[in-house]
C-alpha cells in the first residue's frame, strides 16, 4: 500500500527531531563558507547582547550616579558616559543588522538546497503517488515548508537564543550586584510569563481557527448562492438566501470579536506580569538604596535591564505560534522527503543496451490494486522493427502495457524484456531513454514551441530542432508565426489546436530518436481530416523502429504487421488485419461495429 498522504498531516510535531533534520542543511559538510557565515552571525549575536547588557545600562547607571553623587562627577565625564550609552545602543543595532547581512545568504542557501532535494524527490516518486495526490496540495506543502525555514531560523537563532543569552547575563548581574532575591523574582516572572503566554496563545489559536472556518463557510455559501442565482429566482428564495448569509456573517462576526478581544487579554496579562516585576524590582533596589546598599544609578540599571529583557518577551506569543506552525509545515515537507519511491533500480542494475528492439511480455500479471488484476497473464512478442497494434474495449489494459514498459509500476508477476534484458534489472534512466511516446493527451509546458520540441533531447542544436519539426510536418506552421519557434503555447499548450499539439509531440519524439516507439491513441481526439494528416506522419516515423500502437479507431492500424486484441486483461486474438477479419472473432465484431458507426455518421452528416 502507498504511504499515508503527507499533505494531510497537521498534528503538532516535536521541535527537536524537525530541527535535527534541518541542521545538515544549515551546517553542510561540503560548504565551509556557510559554516563560517553561521559562526560569524552567532558571534555578532553574542557581541550585540554583550553591548546591550553591559554597555548601555552600565553607562546610563554611571551617568546617573555621577550626577547624583556627592560630590558630583565632572560634567565632561558624565557627558562621555551619556555618549557611551548612545554609542552602545547604536552598537547593538549595528551588530544586529550586520548579523542579518552575514546570515541572509546562509538561510537562502539552506532553503535552496532543501527545496531542490524535495523537488528532485518528487520527480523520483512513482506515478501512483502523483495520481493519488492533488498537485496543488503537494506544491503548497513545499511552498509552506520552504517559507517556514527562513522564519524558523530567524526566530530560533535571533530571538529565542539571544533572549536566553540575555536572560543569563541579566541574572548574573543581578546575582552579583543585588543578591538572590532579585534573581529568584526574575526567574519566577519569566516562568509565569511563558506559561501564561502559551496558554493564552493556544486558546487564541482555537478561537482564530473557529473564526477562519466560519469565514470560509460564509464565503463558500455566498459564492454557491450567486452561482445558482437562477435557481434562487426560480423558487423566489432571495430573502431566504439573504437571511442564511446574514446568519453566517453574524456567526463569523461573533467569532471575530472573541478572537480580537482575546488579544487584549493577552496584552493585558503580559503587561501586568512584566510591570509587576518592573515595579517590584525597582522597589527592591530603592529599599536597598534607603539602607545605603545601592546607588540611585542602580535603580536605572535594573529598570533598563528589565525593560530590554521584556522587549523580546513581548513577542513570545507570536514567536511561539510561528515556530509551532513552522514545525508543522517543515514536518509535512520532510514527510514528502521520507515518502519512499515505489519503483527503484535494482542494486546491481545495468544500463539497457538496445541492439534490435525485440520486446517480449512473458506471462505479465498486474493490478493497480492488489485485489483487482488488470492484466491476467499477458504473453506477447513484438519483433524488432515491427509495428504491433494493441486494440480492445476500454479497460482491457491497453495503456497499462505502455506504463509497464516505461516501468512506471512494477509487475505483480511475470517479466518484460527488451532484447532479452529484464527491464526490472536495468536502470530506469536508460530504459526511458530508449523509449519514445506520442500520448493520447499531449500536454505541453507553458513555454515556447521550440522549448517543447527541444525537451525531447537535452542539448539538441537549433538545426536538429528544425529538422524534427520538418519531420513532424509542423515546420511550416511554426515559421508562419510572427515569433516562429519562440511562439508561446500557453498553459498545457492550450494556444495550439489538437493537431498542432500532436505534431509538437511527434517532433519532440523524433528529436529523441528512440529505437522503441509507443503511439498511445495519438489521434483519438482529432477530427478525421487532421487524423489522416497525422497518421501519414506517424507512419513515416514508425519505419525502422519497434512500434507499439495503442488504438481505439481500428481504421488507423490496418497497416500494422500484427494486431493484438485484448479483452478483460487477456490476449484473445492476434494476427494481421486480414487474418483477424477472416477469423470472424472479436476484432471482426469491433471492425463491423465501427464501420457501421462511420456509415451512420456520414448519413447524419
Amino acid at each position: 500500500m502507498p504511504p499515508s498522504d503527507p499533505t494531510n498531516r497537521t498534528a503538532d510535531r516535536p521541535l527537536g527531531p524537525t530541527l535535527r533534520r534541518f541542521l545538515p542543511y544549515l551546517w553542510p559538510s561540503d560548504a565551509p563558507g556557510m559554516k563560517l557565515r553561521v559562526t560569524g552571525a552567532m558571534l555578532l549575536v553574542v557581541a550585540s547582547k554583550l553591548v546591550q547588557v553591559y554597555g548601555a545600562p552600565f553607562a546610563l547607571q554611571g551617568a546617573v550616579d555621577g550626577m547624583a553623587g556627592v560630590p558630583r562627577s565632572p560634567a565632561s565625564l558624565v557627558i562621555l558616559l551619556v555618549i557611551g550609552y548612545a554609542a552602545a545602543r547604536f552598537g547593538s543595532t549595528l551588530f544586529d543588522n550586520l548579523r542579518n547581512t552575514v546570515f541572509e545568504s546562509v538561510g537562502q542557501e539552506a532553503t535552496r538546497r532543501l527545496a531542490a532535494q524535495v523537488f528532485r524527490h518528487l520527480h523520483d516518486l512513482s506515478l501512483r503517488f502523483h495520481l493519488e495526490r492533488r498537485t496543488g496540495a503537494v506544491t503548497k506543502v513545499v511552498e509552506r515548508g520552504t517559507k517556514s525555514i527562513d522564519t524558523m531560523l530567524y526566530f530560533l537563532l535571533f530571538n529565542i537564543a539571544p533572549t536566553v543569552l540575555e536572560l543569563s547575563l541579566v541574572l548574573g548581574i543581578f546575582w552579583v550586584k543585588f543578591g538572590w532575591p532579585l534573581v529568584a523574582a526574575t526567574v519566577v516572572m519569566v516562568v509565569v510569563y511563558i506559561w501564561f503566554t502559551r496558554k493564552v496563545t493556544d486558546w487564541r489559536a482555537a478561537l482564530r481557527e473557529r473564526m477562519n472556518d466560519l469565514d470560509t463557510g460564509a464565503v463558500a455559501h455566498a459564492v454557491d448562492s450567486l452561482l445558482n442565482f437562477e435557481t434562487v429566482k426560480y423558487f423566489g428564495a432571495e430573502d431566504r438566501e439573504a437571511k442564511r448569509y446574514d446568519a453566517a456573517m453574524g456567526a463569523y462576526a461573533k467569532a471575530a470579536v472573541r478572537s480580537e478581544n482575546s488579544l487584549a487579554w493577552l496584552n493585558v496579562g503580559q503587561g501586568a506580569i512584566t510591570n509587576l516585576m518592573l515595579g517590584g524590582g525597582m522597589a527592591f533596589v530603592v529599599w536597598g538604596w534607603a539602607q545605603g546598599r545601592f546607588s540611585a544609578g542602580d535603580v536605572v540599571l535594573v529598570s533598563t535591564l528589565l525593560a530590554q529583557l521584556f522587549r523580546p518577551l513581548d513577542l513570545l506569543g507570536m514567536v511561539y505560534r510561528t515556530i509551532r506552525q513552522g514545525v508543522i509545515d517543515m514536518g509535512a515537507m520532510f514527510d514528502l522527503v521520507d515518502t519512499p519511491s515505489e519503483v527503484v533500480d535494482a542494486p546491481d542494475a545495468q544500463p539497457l543496451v538496445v541492439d534490435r528492439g525485440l520486446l517480449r511480455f512473458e506471462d505479465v500479471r498486474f493490478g493497480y490494486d492488489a485485489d483487482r488484476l488488470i492484466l491476467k497473464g499477458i504473453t506477447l512478442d513484438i519483433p524488432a522493427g515491427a509495428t504491433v497494434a494493441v486494440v480492445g474495449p476500454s479497460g482491457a489494459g491497453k495503456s497499462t502495457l505502455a506504463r509497464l514498459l516505461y516501468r512506471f509500476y512494477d509487475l505483480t508477476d511475470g517479466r518484460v524484456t527488451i532484447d532479452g534484458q529484464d527491464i526490472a534489472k536495468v536502470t530506469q534512466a536508460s530504459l526511458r531513454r530508449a523509449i519514445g511516446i506520442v500520448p493520447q493527451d499531449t500536454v505541453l509546458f507553458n513555454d515556447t514551441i521550440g522549448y517543447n520540441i527541444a525537451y525531447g533531447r537535452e542539448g539538441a542544436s537549433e538545426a536538429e530542432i528544425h529538422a524534427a519539426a520538418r519531420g513532424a510536418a509542423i515546420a511550416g506552421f511554426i515559421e508562419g508565426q510572427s515569433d516562429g519557434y519562440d511562439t508561446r503555447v500557453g498553459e498545457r499548450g492550450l494556444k495550439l489546436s489538437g493537431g498542432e499539439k500532436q505534431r509538437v509531440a511527434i517532433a519532440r519524439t523524433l528529436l529523441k530518436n528512440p529505437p522503441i516507439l509507443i503511439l498511445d491513441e495519438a489521434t483519438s481526439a482529432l477530427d478525421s481530416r487532421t487524423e489522416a494528416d497525422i497518421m501519414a506522419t506517424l507512419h513515416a516515423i514508425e519505419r525502422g523502429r519497434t512500434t507499439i500502437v495503442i488504438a481505439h479507431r481500428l481504421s488507423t492500424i490496418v497497416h500494422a504487421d500484427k494486431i493484438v486484441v485484448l479483452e478483460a486483461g487477456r490476449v484473445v486474438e492476434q494476427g494481421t488485419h486480414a487474418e483477424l477479419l477472416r477469423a470472424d472473432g472479436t476484432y471482426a465484431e469491433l471492425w463491423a461495429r465501427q464501420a457501421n458507426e462511420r456509415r451512420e455518421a456520414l448519413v447524419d452528416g
Side-chain angles (χ1 to χ4, degrees):
M1 292 295 290
S4 57
D5 190 345
T7 63
N8 291 331
R9 300 183 189 179
T10 57
D12 285 349
R13 298 167 182 266
L15 176 63
T18 302
L19 290 181
R20 282 195 297 272
R21 288 289 304 273
F22 180 68
L23 283 178
Y25 299 94
L26 189 63
W27 193 262
S29 58
D30 61 341
M34 284 183 65
K35 293 181 178 180
L36 186 62
R37 281 182 171 272
V38 172
T39 303
M42 297 316 296
L43 289 176
L44 287 169
V45 168
V46 174
S48 173
K49 286 305 172 186
L50 289 175
V51 170
Q52 188 175 345
V53 172
Y54 289 104
F58 281 98
L60 188 59
Q61 177 204 30
V64 171
D65 283 342
M67 295 172 66
V70 180
R72 296 179 179 179
S73 299
S76 59
L77 177 60
V78 176
I79 291 173
L80 287 175
L81 287 171
V82 171
I83 293 174
Y85 168 74
R89 286 176 59 87
F90 172 74
S92 178
T93 301
L94 176 64
F95 287 140
D96 285 345
N97 284 275
L98 287 176
R99 169 206 71 195
N100 291 340
T101 302
V102 169
F103 190 79
E104 181 61 29
S105 63
V106 176
Q108 293 298 330
E109 177 65 12
T111 301
R112 182 195 66 79
R113 287 175 174 239
L114 180 54
Q117 181 188 351
V118 175
F119 185 78
R120 182 70 180 85
H121 183 69
L122 286 173
H123 275 293
D124 287 338
L125 291 176
S126 65
L127 180 63
R128 189 192 307 272
F129 173 89
H130 291 282
L131 291 177
E132 293 180 351
R133 269 69 174 183
R134 291 173 298 174
T135 302
V138 172
T139 54
K140 200 67 179 177
V141 166
V142 178
E143 179 187 350
R144 287 173 175 167
T146 52
K147 284 184 176 179
S148 69
I149 292 170
D150 195 45
T151 306
M152 288 270 291
L153 285 176
Y154 181 84
F155 282 129
L156 287 172
L157 297 180
F158 304 142
N159 187 282
I160 300 296
T163 300
V164 172
L165 174 61
E166 183 175 0
L167 177 62
S168 301
L169 296 176
V170 169
L171 291 178
I173 293 172
F174 284 177
W175 179 271
V176 172
K177 291 188 65 67
F178 306 109
W180 68 267
L182 193 56
V183 172
T186 303
V187 170
V188 169
M189 181 274 297
V190 171
V191 171
V192 172
Y193 189 96
I194 293 174
W195 173 85
F196 173 80
T197 299
R198 178 173 181 177
K199 288 294 184 182
V200 176
T201 300
D202 287 341
W203 171 57
R204 291 195 69 239
L207 291 177
R208 189 159 190 83
E209 183 177 356
R210 169 66 175 164
M211 181 189 73
N212 290 339
D213 288 343
L214 290 171
D215 183 34
T216 301
V219 172
H221 171 71
V223 171
D224 188 46
S225 180
L226 292 173
L227 288 176
N228 291 279
F229 74 97
E230 288 186 54
T231 304
V232 173
K233 290 186 177 297
Y234 288 153
F235 294 93
E238 291 89 347
D239 289 342
R240 191 193 320 169
E241 288 298 312
K243 289 176 182 177
R244 285 185 60 194
Y245 182 69
D246 183 60
M249 288 302 298
Y252 166 74
K254 290 179 180 179
V257 168
R258 292 189 64 190
S259 177
E260 292 303 316
N261 288 347
S262 67
L263 177 61
W265 286 111
L266 176 64
N267 292 336
V268 168
Q270 289 177 332
I273 295 170
T274 55
N275 284 286
L276 181 64
M277 177 61 207
L278 181 62
M282 294 178 68
F284 173 77
V285 176
V286 170
W287 174 74
W289 168 78
Q291 296 181 329
R293 294 167 51 199
F294 307 135
S295 68
D298 287 336
V299 177
V300 176
L301 177 66
V302 169
S303 171
T304 305
L305 289 174
L306 288 177
Q308 289 180 170
L309 185 61
F310 294 158
R311 277 201 297 272
L313 287 179
D314 285 341
L315 300 175
L316 188 59
M318 182 191 68
V319 171
Y320 167 69
R321 185 173 62 252
T322 302
I323 289 179
R324 188 178 68 170
Q325 186 60 50
V327 170
I328 293 173
D329 292 339
M330 286 181 66
M333 186 167 63
F334 282 129
D335 286 338
L336 285 178
V337 176
D338 294 338
T339 301
S341 297
E342 183 181 349
V343 179
V344 296
D345 287 343
D348 57 347
Q350 298 296 317
L352 174 68
V353 178
V354 181
D355 293 325
R356 296 180 299 153
L358 172 63
L359 305 184
R360 179 171 173 78
F361 292 80
E362 299 179 7
D363 194 26
V364 170
R365 299 174 186 274
F366 173 76
Y368 296 103
D369 298 313
D371 57 348
R372 190 172 73 90
L373 285 180
I374 301 297
L375 302 181
K376 304 169 183 177
I378 295 284
T379 297
L380 177 62
D381 288 310
I382 302 176
T387 295
V388 174
V390 181
V391 301
S394 298
K398 303 186 297 297
S399 294
T400 299
L401 288 176
R403 289 178 170 180
L404 294 180
L405 186 58
Y406 261 100
R407 206 178 164 217
F408 288 157
Y409 301 92
D410 279 331
L411 305 180
T412 303
D413 199 8
R415 70 176 193 154
V416 179
T417 64
I418 299 178
D419 287 336
Q421 302 160 84
D422 189 339
I423 65 171
K425 296 180 180 178
V426 301
T427 61
Q428 296 176 68
S430 65
L431 171 66
R432 291 165 187 162
R433 276 197 302 268
I435 306 173
I437 187 169
V438 179
Q440 175 182 4
D441 181 20
T442 298
V443 178
L444 303 180
F445 290 97
N446 188 2
D447 210 295
T448 65
I449 294 178
Y451 174 85
N452 278 281
I453 295 176
Y455 204 80
R457 178 159 52 86
E458 188 176 9
S461 67
E462 187 174 335
E464 290 172 321
I465 295 170
H466 293 185
R470 287 193 297 272
I474 195 175
F477 165 77
I478 297 173
E479 292 163 3
Q481 304 299 305
S482 58
D483 292 327
Y485 285 84
D486 292 328
T487 301
R488 301 195 70 87
V489 302
E491 190 76 25
R492 298 173 63 86
L494 294 178
K495 289 185 178 180
L496 303 182
S497 69
E500 291 159 357
K501 288 169 57 179
Q502 211 70 48
R503 290 188 189 277
V504 171
I506 294 171
R508 184 165 58 189
T509 303
L510 276 176
L511 185 64
K512 185 177 184 181
N513 193 27
I516 300 169
L517 178 64
I518 300 173
L519 306 177
D520 187 0
E521 303 203 42
T523 63
S524 62
L526 305 178
D527 60 81
S528 299
R529 180 176 179 179
T530 306
E531 180 184 54
D533 294 339
I534 295 289
M535 286 307 304
T537 304
L538 292 177
H539 292 168
I541 71 171
E542 289 173 18
R543 299 191 192 103
R545 308 175 199 271
T546 302
T547 305
I548 299 176
V549 181
I550 298 168
H552 174 69
R553 297 180 186 175
L554 304 186
S555 59
T556 63
I557 48 91
V558 294
H559 69 290
D561 299 309
K562 181 166 66 173
I563 299 171
V564 178
V565 183
L566 295 187
E567 189 169 22
R570 291 186 173 89
V571 176
V572 294
E573 289 179 327
Q574 54 182 312
T576 65
H577 172 70
E579 290 169 347
L580 292 176
L581 286 182
R582 285 195 299 270
D584 197 25
T586 303
Y587 180 82
E589 180 185 345
L590 291 171
W591 178 266
R593 186 182 305 155
Q594 291 192 10
N596 187 53
E597 289 173 354
R598 286 196 299 271
R599 284 193 297 269
E600 290 179 354
L602 289 173
V603 172
D604 293 341

